[in-house]
């Protein structure tokens, strides 16, 4: 697994150079977290560009591209957009030990065996392995893909990230692919730790929040799209909330490159900004649209199948609205996470309801709109509603709970009257 | 002061309710045992399938057309399960289903196949000869 670890460290180093380009005031844990996320995104982007250009993936070719990015990124830093400079110093806290121990346990789980999730074998890993065989994007495979779990239209950031690891090793090694889950979790926790420090101005409160956040950042679904979507999406929402709109928009674009749900998150974030009357910031989300655009064009050109939009969508929505009971029953019946967690979070919301309504309109509206998109997908599903809800509801909710938990916890742990 | 204590208590309750004990328990779990269990987990409904497919992979080459035969006669009653897993393990080969999702036979795929990977079956097939037989299935090659 050493080759894959080294590859991720190189990606993170390049990502830090890129993070300094898109977020010039980022430092410490925030810079490191953004760097990991941007680094993984950059490696996937390099393989994507090579594939589109018809250049077969080789270690030398990718190494040249990586070095070029590493050299050019610092030179263009003066063009970086302004971003708020956060306060607070990152003093070590005993709670950080809890975070580190839990992360070590998570790393042990994520790399204990070849990735075992069915969605890895039938979707993300299958695509990556097919791409690896041809050292590029296998359009013929995607065009012919069928089956409920295939999702050929899904954006390719995660499969390409697996291919980056395979390229680093020179062989397919699915026992190491869980490392990406660990990297996404570490990145999000670094971001959360730093932003919480800025807001609470207490190293202990920030470290406590990060430790509490481990189960939310460390997705239990190894090797599938949840971990990148949660990491990119939550980082995006928290950065935009902070006022770092362009870096947040870049993360939003990467979320949209990881899963289709990331595309709706762009709309949800724009809605949140509009309700918060941050009209100018809506326009600043443009990188979020530009980043996934090439894939959206290519998937149209190659007629890649999207199960939700296939056939008569309107008729299915009307039918499900006319007979909503099965959907409502399924949403109630199937697990949306731990009941005790939601109960505790609900109490937290009640305790800080005033500052939440006053100061967190952006996040709350963005999450609410995203939830509506998820419910709309169930209304439009061509599959059996019970089957669809059963196998996705908990994962979908796991996209929303981190940002909500962050704003509640940070409001509970902050004594200052005003924040961002 | 009371308000602050309440807030800290609620924050602690959220953290406790979110806590994932398995990320601690895993240090006490046998790595070898759990690794073996998870390795087989995606194939648990079809015992021996993973090793059978690995055997097929070792005896075929990239580009070979391999039809998947199973004892299951319905797409949703086992065939899909085996077929999806075959496509992952046999990446690089053309993995051809002998059924579609509506349970219609696909004879053109059998006609195009150079090999048939027959999971859970050891019976001979007309036009094919067995090239390898394991405890959980047979790999057949089209007879010249």
């Amino acid at each position: 697994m050493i080759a894959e670890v080294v590859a991720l460290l190189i990606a993170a180093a390049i990502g830090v150079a890129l993070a300094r380009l898109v977020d010039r005031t980022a430092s410490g844990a925030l810079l490191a977290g953004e760097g990991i996320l941007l680094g993984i995104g950059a490696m996937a982007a390099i393989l994507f560009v090579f594939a589109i250009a018809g250049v077969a993936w080789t270690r030398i070719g990718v190494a040249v591209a990586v070095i070029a990015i590493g050299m050019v990124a610092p030179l263009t830093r003066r063009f970086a957009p302004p971003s708020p400079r956060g306060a607070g110093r990152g003093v070590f806290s005993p709670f950080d030990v809890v975070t580190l121990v839990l992360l070590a346990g998570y790393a042990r789980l994520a790399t204990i065996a070849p990735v075992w999730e069915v969605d890895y074998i039938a979707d993300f890993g299958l695509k990556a392995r097919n791409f690896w065989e041809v050292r590029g994007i296998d359009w013929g495979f995607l065009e012919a893909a069928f089956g409920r779990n295939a999702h050929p239209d899904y954006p390719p950031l995660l499969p390409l990230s697996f291919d980056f690891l395979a390229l680093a090793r020179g062989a397919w090694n699915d026992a190491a692919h869980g490392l990406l889950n660990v990297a996404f979790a570490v990145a999000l926790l670094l971001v959360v730790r730093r932003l919480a420090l800025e807001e609470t101005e207490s190293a202990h409160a920030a470290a406590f929040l990060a430790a509490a956040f481990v189960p939310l950042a460390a997705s239990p679904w190894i090797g599938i799209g949840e971990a990148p979507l949660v990491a990119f999406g939550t980082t995006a929402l928290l950065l935009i909330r902070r006022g770092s709109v362009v870096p947040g928009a870049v993360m939003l674009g990467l979320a949209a490159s990881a899963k289709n749900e990331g595309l709706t998150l762009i709309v949800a974030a724009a809605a949140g900004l509009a309700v918060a009357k941050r009209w100018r910031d809506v326009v600043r989300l443009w990188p979020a649209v530009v980043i996934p655009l090439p894939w959206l064009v290519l998937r149209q050109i190659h007629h890649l199948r999207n199960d939700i939009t296939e056939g008569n969508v309107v008729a299915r929505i009307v039918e499900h609205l006319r007979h909503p009971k099965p959907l409502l029953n399924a949403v109630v019946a199937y697990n949306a996470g731990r009941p005790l967690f939601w109960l505790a979070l609900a109490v937290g919301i009640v305790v800080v309801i005033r500052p939440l309504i006053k100061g967190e309109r952006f996040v709350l509206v963005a999450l609410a709109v995203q939830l509506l998109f998820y419910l709309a997908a169930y209304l439009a599903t061509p599959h059996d509603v019970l089957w669809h809800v059963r196998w996705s509801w908990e994962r979908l909710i796991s996209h929303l709970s981190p940002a909500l938990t962050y704003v509640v916890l940070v409001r509970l742990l902050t004594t200052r009257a005003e924040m961002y | 002061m009371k308000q602050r204590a309440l807030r800290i208590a609620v924050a602690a309750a959220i953290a406790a309710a979110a806590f994932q004990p398995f990320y601690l328990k895993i240090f006490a779990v046998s790595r070898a045992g759990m690794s073996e269990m998870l390795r087989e987990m995606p194939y648990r409904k079809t015992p021996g399938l993973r090793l059978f497919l690995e055997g097929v992979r070792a005896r075929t080459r990239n580009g070979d057309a391999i039809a998947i035969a199973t004892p299951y006669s319905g797409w949703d009653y086992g065939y899909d399960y085996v077929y999806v897993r075959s496509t992952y393990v046999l990446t690089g080969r053309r993995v051809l289903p002998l059924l579609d999702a509506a349970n219609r036979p696909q004879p053109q795929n059998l006609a195009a196949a150079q090999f048939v990977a027959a999971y859970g079956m050891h019976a001979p097939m007309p036009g094919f000869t067995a090239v390898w037989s394991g405890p959980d299935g047979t790999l057949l090659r089209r007879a010249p």
Side-chain angles (χ1 to χ4, degrees), chain A residues 106-146:
Chain A
Y106 181 61
R108 187 174 160 87
L109 170 69
T111 57
I112 205 163
V115 177
W116 58 88
E117 285 289 344
V118 172
D119 277 357
Y120 174 87
I121 285 169
D123 182 353
F124 298 97
L126 177 63
K127 283 179 202 154
R129 200 168 180 181
N130 271 286
F131 296 172
W132 169 246
E133 293 289 345
V134 300
R135 304 296 193 270
I137 294 177
D138 187 345
W139 294 108
F141 162 76
L142 291 177
E143 287 164 1
F146 67 99

Coordinates of all heavy atoms in Angstrom, one line a residue, chain A residues 106-146:
Chain A
Y106 N -10.7 3.9 11.7 CA -11.3 4.0 10.4 C -10.4 3.6 9.3 O -10.8 2.9 8.4 CB -11.8 5.5 10.2 CG -12.6 5.7 8.9 CD1 -13.7 5.0 8.6 CD2 -12.1 6.5 7.9 CE1 -14.4 5.2 7.4 CE2 -12.8 6.7 6.7 CZ -13.9 6.0 6.5 OH -14.6 6.2 5.3
A107 N -9.2 4.0 9.4 CA -8.2 3.6 8.3 C -8.0 2.1 8.3 O -7.9 1.5 7.3 CB -6.9 4.3 8.6
R108 N -8.0 1.5 9.5 CA -7.9 0.1 9.6 C -9.0 -0.6 8.9 O -8.8 -1.6 8.2 CB -7.8 -0.3 11.1 CG -7.5 -1.8 11.4 CD -7.3 -2.0 12.9 NE -7.4 -3.4 13.3 CZ -6.4 -4.3 13.3 NH1 -5.2 -3.9 12.9 NH2 -6.6 -5.5 13.7
L109 N -10.2 -0.1 9.2 CA -11.4 -0.7 8.6 C -11.4 -0.5 7.0 O -11.6 -1.5 6.3 CB -12.7 0.0 9.1 CG -14.0 -0.4 8.3 CD1 -14.4 -1.8 8.6 CD2 -15.1 0.5 8.7
A110 N -11.1 0.7 6.6 CA -11.2 1.0 5.2 C -10.2 0.2 4.3 O -10.4 0.1 3.1 CB -11.0 2.5 5.0
T111 N -9.1 -0.3 4.9 CA -8.1 -0.9 4.2 C -7.9 -2.4 4.6 O -6.9 -3.0 4.3 CB -6.7 -0.2 4.3 OG1 -6.4 -0.1 5.7 CG2 -6.8 1.2 3.8
I112 N -8.9 -2.9 5.3 CA -8.7 -4.3 5.8 C -8.9 -5.4 4.8 O -8.5 -6.5 5.0 CB -9.7 -4.5 7.0 CG1 -9.2 -5.5 8.0 CG2 -11.1 -4.8 6.5 CD1 -9.9 -5.5 9.3
A113 N -9.6 -5.0 3.7 CA -9.9 -6.0 2.6 C -10.1 -5.3 1.3 O -10.3 -4.1 1.3 CB -11.1 -6.8 3.0
P114 N -10.0 -6.1 0.2 CA -10.4 -5.4 -1.1 C -11.8 -4.8 -0.9 O -12.7 -5.4 -0.2 CB -10.5 -6.6 -2.1 CG -9.5 -7.6 -1.5 CD -9.6 -7.5 0.0
V115 N -12.1 -3.7 -1.5 CA -13.4 -3.0 -1.2 C -14.6 -3.9 -1.5 O -14.6 -4.6 -2.5 CB -13.5 -1.7 -2.1 CG1 -14.8 -1.1 -1.9 CG2 -12.3 -0.8 -1.8
W116 N -15.5 -4.0 -0.5 CA -16.5 -5.0 -0.5 C -17.9 -4.5 -0.9 O -18.9 -5.2 -1.0 CB -16.6 -5.7 0.8 CG -16.8 -4.7 2.0 CD1 -18.0 -4.3 2.5 CD2 -15.8 -4.0 2.7 NE1 -17.7 -3.4 3.5 CE2 -16.4 -3.2 3.6 CE3 -14.4 -4.0 2.6 CZ2 -15.7 -2.3 4.5 CZ3 -13.7 -3.2 3.5 CH2 -14.3 -2.3 4.4
E117 N -18.1 -3.1 -1.0 CA -19.4 -2.6 -1.2 C -19.9 -3.0 -2.6 O -19.1 -2.9 -3.6 CB -19.3 -1.0 -1.2 CG -19.2 -0.5 0.2 CD -20.5 -0.6 1.0 OE1 -21.6 -0.9 0.4 OE2 -20.4 -0.5 2.3
V118 N -21.2 -3.4 -2.7 CA -21.7 -3.8 -4.0 C -21.6 -2.6 -5.0 O -21.4 -2.8 -6.2 CB -23.2 -4.3 -3.8 CG1 -23.8 -4.5 -5.2 CG2 -23.2 -5.6 -3.0
D119 N -21.9 -1.4 -4.6 CA -21.8 -0.3 -5.5 C -20.4 0.0 -6.0 O -20.2 0.7 -7.0 CB -22.4 1.0 -4.8 CG -23.9 1.1 -4.9 OD1 -24.5 0.2 -5.5 OD2 -24.5 2.0 -4.3
Y120 N -19.4 -0.5 -5.3 CA -18.0 -0.4 -5.8 C -17.9 -1.5 -6.9 O -17.4 -1.2 -8.0 CB -17.0 -0.7 -4.7 CG -15.6 -0.8 -5.1 CD1 -14.8 0.3 -5.3 CD2 -15.0 -2.1 -5.5 CE1 -13.5 0.2 -5.7 CE2 -13.7 -2.2 -5.9 CZ -12.9 -1.0 -6.0 OH -11.6 -1.1 -6.4
I121 N -18.4 -2.7 -6.6 CA -18.2 -3.8 -7.6 C -19.1 -3.6 -8.8 O -18.7 -3.9 -10.0 CB -18.5 -5.1 -6.9 CG1 -17.3 -5.5 -6.0 CG2 -18.8 -6.2 -7.9 CD1 -17.6 -6.6 -5.0
A122 N -20.2 -3.0 -8.7 CA -21.2 -2.8 -9.8 C -21.1 -1.5 -10.4 O -21.7 -1.3 -11.5 CB -22.6 -3.1 -9.3
D123 N -20.4 -0.5 -9.8 CA -20.4 0.9 -10.4 C -19.0 1.5 -10.3 O -18.3 1.4 -11.3 CB -21.5 1.7 -9.5 CG -21.6 3.1 -10.0 OD1 -20.9 3.5 -10.9 OD2 -22.5 3.8 -9.5
F124 N -18.7 2.1 -9.2 CA -17.4 2.9 -9.1 C -16.2 2.1 -9.4 O -15.3 2.5 -10.2 CB -17.3 3.6 -7.8 CG -18.5 4.5 -7.5 CD1 -19.6 4.1 -6.7 CD2 -18.5 5.8 -8.0 CE1 -20.6 5.0 -6.5 CE2 -19.6 6.7 -7.8 CZ -20.6 6.2 -7.0
G125 N -16.0 1.0 -8.8 CA -14.8 0.2 -9.0 C -14.9 -0.5 -10.4 O -13.8 -0.6 -11.0
L126 N -16.0 -0.9 -10.8 CA -16.2 -1.6 -12.1 C -15.7 -0.6 -13.2 O -15.0 -1.0 -14.1 CB -17.6 -2.0 -12.3 CG -17.9 -2.6 -13.7 CD1 -17.1 -3.9 -13.9 CD2 -19.4 -2.9 -13.8
K127 N -16.2 0.6 -13.1 CA -15.8 1.7 -14.1 C -14.3 1.9 -14.1 O -13.6 1.9 -15.1 CB -16.5 3.0 -13.8 CG -18.0 3.0 -14.3 CD -18.5 4.4 -13.9 CE -20.0 4.3 -13.8 NZ -20.6 5.3 -12.9
A128 N -13.8 2.1 -12.9 CA -12.4 2.4 -12.7 C -11.5 1.2 -13.3 O -10.5 1.5 -14.0 CB -12.0 2.6 -11.3
R129 N -12.0 0.0 -13.0 CA -11.2 -1.2 -13.5 C -11.2 -1.3 -15.0 O -10.2 -1.6 -15.7 CB -11.7 -2.4 -12.8 CG -10.7 -3.6 -12.9 CD -11.0 -4.7 -12.0 NE -10.0 -5.7 -12.0 CZ -10.1 -6.9 -11.4 NH1 -11.1 -7.1 -10.5 NH2 -9.2 -7.8 -11.5
N130 N -12.4 -1.0 -15.6 CA -12.5 -1.0 -17.1 C -11.6 0.1 -17.7 O -11.0 -0.1 -18.7 CB -14.0 -0.8 -17.5 CG -14.7 -2.1 -17.6 OD1 -14.4 -2.9 -18.5 ND2 -15.5 -2.4 -16.6
F131 N -11.6 1.3 -17.0 CA -10.8 2.4 -17.5 C -9.3 2.0 -17.4 O -8.5 2.3 -18.3 CB -11.0 3.7 -16.7 CG -12.4 4.3 -16.8 CD1 -12.8 5.3 -15.9 CD2 -13.4 3.8 -17.7 CE1 -14.1 5.9 -16.0 CE2 -14.7 4.3 -17.7 CZ -15.0 5.4 -16.9
W132 N -9.0 1.4 -16.3 CA -7.6 1.0 -16.1 C -7.1 0.0 -17.2 O -6.0 0.1 -17.7 CB -7.5 0.3 -14.7 CG -6.2 -0.4 -14.4 CD1 -6.0 -1.7 -14.2 CD2 -4.9 0.2 -14.4 NE1 -4.7 -2.0 -14.0 CE2 -4.0 -0.8 -14.1 CE3 -4.4 1.5 -14.5 CZ2 -2.6 -0.6 -14.0 CZ3 -3.1 1.8 -14.4 CH2 -2.2 0.7 -14.1
E133 N -8.0 -0.9 -17.6 CA -7.6 -1.9 -18.6 C -7.2 -1.2 -19.9 O -6.4 -1.7 -20.6 CB -8.8 -2.9 -18.9 CG -9.1 -3.8 -17.7 CD -8.0 -4.9 -17.5 OE1 -7.2 -5.1 -18.4 OE2 -8.0 -5.5 -16.4
V134 N -7.9 -0.1 -20.3 CA -7.7 0.6 -21.5 C -6.8 1.8 -21.4 O -6.5 2.5 -22.3 CB -9.0 0.9 -22.3 CG1 -9.8 -0.3 -22.6 CG2 -9.8 1.9 -21.5
R135 N -6.5 2.1 -20.1 CA -5.7 3.3 -19.8 C -6.3 4.6 -20.3 O -5.7 5.5 -20.9 CB -4.2 3.2 -20.3 CG -3.5 2.0 -19.8 CD -3.2 2.0 -18.3 NE -2.3 1.0 -17.9 CZ -2.6 -0.3 -17.6 NH1 -3.8 -0.7 -17.6 NH2 -1.6 -1.1 -17.2
G136 N -7.6 4.6 -20.1 CA -8.4 5.8 -20.5 C -9.9 5.6 -20.2 O -10.2 4.5 -19.6
I137 N -10.7 6.5 -20.6 CA -12.2 6.3 -20.3 C -12.7 5.4 -21.4 O -12.6 5.6 -22.6 CB -12.9 7.6 -20.3 CG1 -12.4 8.4 -19.1 CG2 -14.4 7.4 -20.2 CD1 -13.0 9.8 -19.0
D138 N -13.3 4.3 -21.0 CA -13.8 3.3 -21.9 C -15.3 3.6 -22.3 O -16.2 3.2 -21.6 CB -13.8 1.9 -21.2 CG -14.1 0.8 -22.2 OD1 -14.7 1.0 -23.3 OD2 -13.8 -0.4 -21.9
W139 N -15.4 4.5 -23.3 CA -16.7 5.0 -23.7 C -17.7 3.8 -24.1 O -18.9 3.9 -23.8 CB -16.6 6.0 -24.8 CG -15.9 7.3 -24.3 CD1 -14.7 7.7 -24.6 CD2 -16.4 8.2 -23.3 NE1 -14.4 8.9 -24.0 CE2 -15.4 9.2 -23.2 CE3 -17.6 8.4 -22.6 CZ2 -15.6 10.3 -22.3 CZ3 -17.8 9.5 -21.8 CH2 -16.7 10.4 -21.6
G140 N -17.1 2.9 -24.8 CA -17.9 1.7 -25.3 C -18.5 1.0 -24.1 O -19.7 0.6 -24.1
F141 N -17.7 0.8 -23.0 CA -18.3 0.1 -21.8 C -19.4 1.0 -21.2 O -20.4 0.4 -20.9 CB -17.1 0.0 -20.8 CG -17.6 -0.3 -19.4 CD1 -18.1 -1.5 -19.1 CD2 -17.6 0.7 -18.5 CE1 -18.6 -1.8 -17.8 CE2 -18.0 0.5 -17.2 CZ -18.6 -0.8 -16.9
L142 N -19.2 2.3 -21.1 CA -20.2 3.2 -20.5 C -21.5 3.2 -21.3 O -22.6 3.2 -20.8 CB -19.6 4.6 -20.3 CG -18.5 4.8 -19.3 CD1 -18.0 6.2 -19.3 CD2 -19.0 4.4 -17.9
E143 N -21.3 3.2 -22.6 CA -22.5 3.3 -23.5 C -23.3 2.0 -23.4 O -24.5 2.1 -23.6 CB -22.0 3.6 -25.0 CG -21.6 5.0 -25.2 CD -20.8 5.2 -26.5 OE1 -20.6 4.2 -27.2 OE2 -20.3 6.3 -26.7
A144 N -22.6 0.9 -23.2 CA -23.3 -0.4 -23.2 C -23.8 -0.8 -21.8 O -24.5 -1.8 -21.7 CB -22.4 -1.5 -23.8
A145 N -23.4 -0.1 -20.8 CA -23.6 -0.5 -19.4 C -25.1 -0.5 -19.1 O -25.9 0.3 -19.6 CB -22.9 0.5 -18.4
F146 N -25.5 -1.6 -18.4 CA -26.9 -1.7 -18.0 C -27.0 -2.2 -16.6 O -26.0 -2.6 -16.0 CB -27.7 -2.5 -19.0 CG -27.4 -4.0 -19.0 CD1 -28.1 -4.9 -18.3 CD2 -26.2 -4.4 -19.7 CE1 -27.7 -6.2 -18.3 CE2 -25.9 -5.7 -19.7 CZ -26.6 -6.7 -19.0

